């Protein structure tokens, strides 16, 4: 069920009557529960109990209007035109390929409105809008996936308005084209109002509001020497090392978190450019869309690296990321800022590898800290040779005595 609200009031004689209308649009067949409605006044709370309705079919070519009583034909009715506007907007008129274009469709109405209207067939109208906007050369990312409208308030020329967003999506053009979106419309129920012997009466009538079409120019990126996909947008980087200081021959992890407004499929990874470091593995950790008004994607990568000798290593000399900066309209490069210090003689190759096994890593860490220095190894070899020589001499003496 998709729910919308309409608030209005009427005044009859010396008494004032307040009415609250809730209009539910069925989306699927089956039983649907309607929650209780409560109205709080100064002296009392009035509550309408919950109830259940059964939706028999979703097939309908025309909106179902309230039943018309025979006596309504004798009543003079006048349409009360609601003060509402329909807008379909884009955040840009020109863009580059692979860049997000934010499309929003919304209804604008004065906050202090007193002319009622009701939403009808919102889910069907939304699908029609999507088909008009759809372009085979663009990827689409839907923002509003729930059945409820997102609402906001804003001021225009000092007047307060209620903004109800019914369509919220990002499109990502994959090639340089002109995106032409035709004129769009949205319809609601307005009401014909009249009076008779029984009081004020209303009769629903379909009311359509329209907005003009628009065109968006999508431009190609400037030429680039290498033939590969270059992401476009604004990019930010954070990076850190699991260990900033390690023994020569040990491995460590470099984690890079990349945040951007680019098409997720074009983000890619960092290029490894070092000959002094061994890249042992690359892991894609996560990629998620960040909730907010603007389009943001966060991607996390992890690289296992093993320096080949002692010294100081700048990670900017080992990794780089090329992209097209849509702000400066030039190609730019990102580098990690971490610095790795490597000390001591190189450990044996069997102890150089890091794994995800904590016990193994702890064991290799302990053994690496207990390695014999070169002089101790030489002394051990001399002692071993001396013992062997003594054993040979003793054996020879025993043989001679026999």
């Amino acid at each position: 069920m998709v729910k919308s609200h309409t608030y209005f009031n009427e005044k009859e004689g010396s008494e004032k009557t307040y009415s609250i209308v809730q209009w539910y649009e069925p989306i699927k067949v089956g039983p649907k529960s309607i929650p209780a409605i409560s109205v709080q006044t100064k002296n009392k709370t009035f509550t309408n109990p919950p109830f259940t309705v059964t939706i028999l079919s979703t097939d309908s070519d025309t909106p179902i209007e309230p039943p018309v009583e025979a006596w309504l034909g004798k009543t003079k009715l006048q349409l009360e035109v609601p003060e509402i506007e329909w807008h379909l907007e884009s955040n840009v008129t020109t863009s580059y390929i692979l860049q997000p274009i934010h499309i929003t469709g919304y209804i604008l109405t004065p906050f202090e409105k007193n002319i009622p209207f009701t939403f009808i067939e919102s889910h069907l109208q939304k699908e029609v809008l999507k088909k008009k906007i759809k372009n085979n050369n663009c990827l689409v990312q839907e923002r509003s996936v729930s059945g409820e409208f997102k609402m906001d308030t804003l001021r225009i020329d000092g007047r307060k308005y209620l903004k109800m967003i019914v369509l919220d999506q990002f499109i990502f053009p994959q090639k340089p084209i002109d995106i032409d979106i035709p004129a769009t419309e949205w319809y609601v129920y307005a009401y014909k109002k009249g009076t008779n012997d029984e009081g004020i009466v209303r009769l629903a009538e379909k009311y359509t509001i329209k907005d003009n079409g628009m065109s968006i120019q999508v431009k190609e990126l400037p030429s680039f020497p290498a033939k590969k996909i270059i992401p476009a947008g604004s990019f930010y980087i954070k990076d850190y090392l699991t260990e900033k200081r390690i023994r020569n021959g040990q491995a460590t992890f470099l984690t890079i978190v990349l945040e951007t407004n680019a098409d997720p499929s074009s983000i890619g990874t960092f290029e490894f450019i070092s000959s002094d470091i061994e890249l042992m593995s690359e892991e894609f950790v996560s990629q998620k869309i960040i909730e907010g008004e603007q389009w943001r994607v966060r991607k996390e990568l992890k690289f296992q690296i093993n320096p080949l000798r002692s010294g100081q290593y700048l990670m900017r000399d080992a990794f780089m990321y090329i992209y097209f900066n849509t702000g400066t309209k030039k190609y730019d490069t990102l580098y990690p800022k971490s610095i790795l210090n490597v000390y001591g003689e190189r450990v044996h190759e069997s102890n150089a590898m890091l794994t995800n096994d904590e016990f193994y890593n702890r064991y290799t860490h302990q053994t690496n800290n207990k390695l014999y220095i070169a002089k101790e190894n030489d002394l051990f070899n001399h002692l071993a040779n001396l013992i062997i020589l003594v054993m040979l001499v003793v054996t020879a003496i025993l043989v001679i005595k026999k």
Side-chain angles (χ1 to χ4, degrees):
M1 285 282 206
V2 178
K3 181 180 69 175
S4 61
H5 301 276
T6 302
Y7 301 93
F8 61 93
N9 64 79
E10 291 294 341
K11 183 177 182 181
E12 296 183 11
S14 60
E15 295 183 356
K16 183 175 288 187
T17 301
Y18 292 90
S19 302
I20 296 180
V21 177
Q22 288 191 336
W23 186 278
Y24 288 84
E25 298 181 36
I27 298 177
K28 298 180 180 179
V29 296
K32 303 297 178 183
S33 298
I34 307 299
I37 303 173
S38 296
V39 178
Q40 178 71 46
T41 66
K42 292 182 179 179
N43 303 321
K44 189 177 180 180
T45 299
F46 298 89
T47 302
N48 185 64
F51 58 93
T52 301
V53 295
T54 301
I55 312 303
L56 300 178
S57 174
T58 56
D59 298 330
S60 177
D61 296 329
T62 58
I64 301 175
E65 299 191 1
V68 179
E69 300 290 345
W71 52 267
L72 279 177
K74 303 176 182 180
T75 306
K76 186 176 181 180
L77 300 177
Q78 184 177 357
L79 179 64
E80 289 188 315
V81 179
E83 192 177 353
I84 55 177
E85 301 174 12
W86 164 250
H87 297 277
L88 185 72
E89 295 181 348
S90 166
N91 65 324
V92 294
T93 55
T94 60
S95 183
Y96 287 99
I97 61 172
L98 308 176
Q99 271 289 279
I101 300 174
H102 194 189
I103 304 293
T104 53
Y106 60 92
I107 293 171
L108 208 59
T109 184
F111 203 80
E112 69 281 0
K113 67 183 179 68
N114 54 16
I115 300 177
F117 68 91
T118 304
F119 289 106
I120 53 173
E121 298 184 335
S122 301
H123 60 292
L124 297 179
Q125 295 192 70
K126 188 174 179 179
E127 292 304 316
V128 172
L129 286 172
K130 289 180 182 179
K131 290 179 180 179
K132 285 191 174 184
I133 298 172
K134 183 179 179 181
N135 189 297
N136 293 332
N137 297 307
C138 298
L139 300 177
V140 178
Q141 181 72 39
E142 187 74 25
R143 291 286 300 278
S144 52
V145 295
S146 66
E148 296 184 0
F149 297 158
K150 189 166 76 173
M151 300 190 183
D152 197 4
T153 57
L154 66 158
R155 286 189 176 274
I156 302 176
D157 296 331
R159 194 178 185 188
K160 194 174 183 181
Y161 284 82
L162 178 64
K163 181 180 181 181
M164 291 167 282
I165 301 174
V166 301
L167 182 71
D168 188 1
Q169 62 179 211
F170 287 93
I171 60 176
F172 297 87
Q174 303 297 296
K175 58 176 12 177
I177 55 172
D178 287 334
I179 302 174
D180 294 316
I181 300 177
T184 55
E185 63 182 32
W186 191 269
Y187 56 86
V188 297
Y189 270 158
Y191 291 90
K192 289 181 177 179
K193 179 183 175 182
T195 58
N196 59 19
D197 295 339
E198 305 220 358
I200 297 175
V201 295
R202 280 197 173 93
L203 183 63
E205 182 175 286
K206 186 176 176 180
Y207 179 73
T208 303
I209 43 181
K210 300 181 179 182
D211 194 13
N212 297 326
M214 58 181 170
S215 180
I216 306 168
Q217 182 187 14
V218 180
K219 298 183 290 185
E220 179 69 273
L221 297 181
S223 59
F224 188 77
K227 292 184 178 180
K228 60 180 181 179
I229 297 178
I230 303 295
S234 58
F235 288 79
Y236 306 92
I237 179 180
K238 291 182 180 179
D239 62 280
Y240 59 90
L241 290 162
T242 303
E243 297 179 33
K244 296 181 179 180
R245 187 171 183 269
I246 60 174
R247 182 185 292 273
N248 188 3
Q250 283 186 309
T252 187
F253 289 100
L254 172 68
T255 300
I256 299 178
V257 180
L258 193 63
E259 192 170 306
T260 177
N261 65 344
D263 173 11
S265 63
S266 70
I267 295 177
T269 186
F270 275 71
E271 183 179 352
F272 181 70
I273 55 176
S274 176
S275 59
D276 297 322
I277 298 176
E278 178 188 3
L279 179 61
M280 304 178 71
S281 67
E282 177 181 346
E283 179 185 355
F284 168 69
V285 180
S286 65
Q287 180 172 291
K288 63 180 181 179
I289 299 171
I290 305 171
E291 293 294 332
E293 292 299 320
Q294 303 299 321
W295 175 263
R296 304 298 298 173
V297 179
R298 182 178 294 142
K299 185 173 185 177
E300 183 174 344
L301 302 163
K302 181 179 283 189
F303 302 90
Q304 188 180 25
I305 55 176
N306 183 15
L308 301 180
R309 56 187 64 85
S310 299
Q312 186 179 80
Y313 292 83
L314 305 180
M315 292 298 100
R316 64 174 292 114
D317 297 333
F319 296 90
M320 70 175 185
Y321 186 88
I322 301 174
Y323 71 101
F324 180 75
N325 190 324
T326 53
T328 61
K329 296 180 174 54
K330 296 179 180 179
Y331 286 98
D332 205 345
T333 306
L334 287 175
Y335 302 96
K337 298 179 180 179
S338 298
I339 300 176
L340 177 64
N341 290 292
V342 183
Y343 67 94
E345 298 295 329
R346 188 163 183 81
V347 255
H348 192 270
E349 292 297 331
S350 62
N351 289 330
M353 179 75 70
L354 281 181
T355 71
N356 292 325
D357 190 305
E358 294 183 0
F359 174 80
Y360 179 79
N361 289 335
R362 185 165 59 250
Y363 168 76
T364 56
H365 177 73
Q366 292 172 350
T367 55
N368 290 340
N369 289 337
K370 296 179 180 179
L371 291 177
Y372 294 105
I373 60 176
K375 291 183 179 180
E376 290 174 336
N377 286 336
D378 292 342
L379 179 60
F380 177 80
N381 292 332
H382 290 317
L383 289 174
N385 292 332
L386 182 60
I387 292 172
I388 293 173
L389 180 61
V390 170
M391 292 177 64
L392 291 174
V393 171
V394 172
T395 303
I397 293 174
L398 292 175
V399 171
I400 293 172
K401 287 184 177 181
K402 289 182 180 181

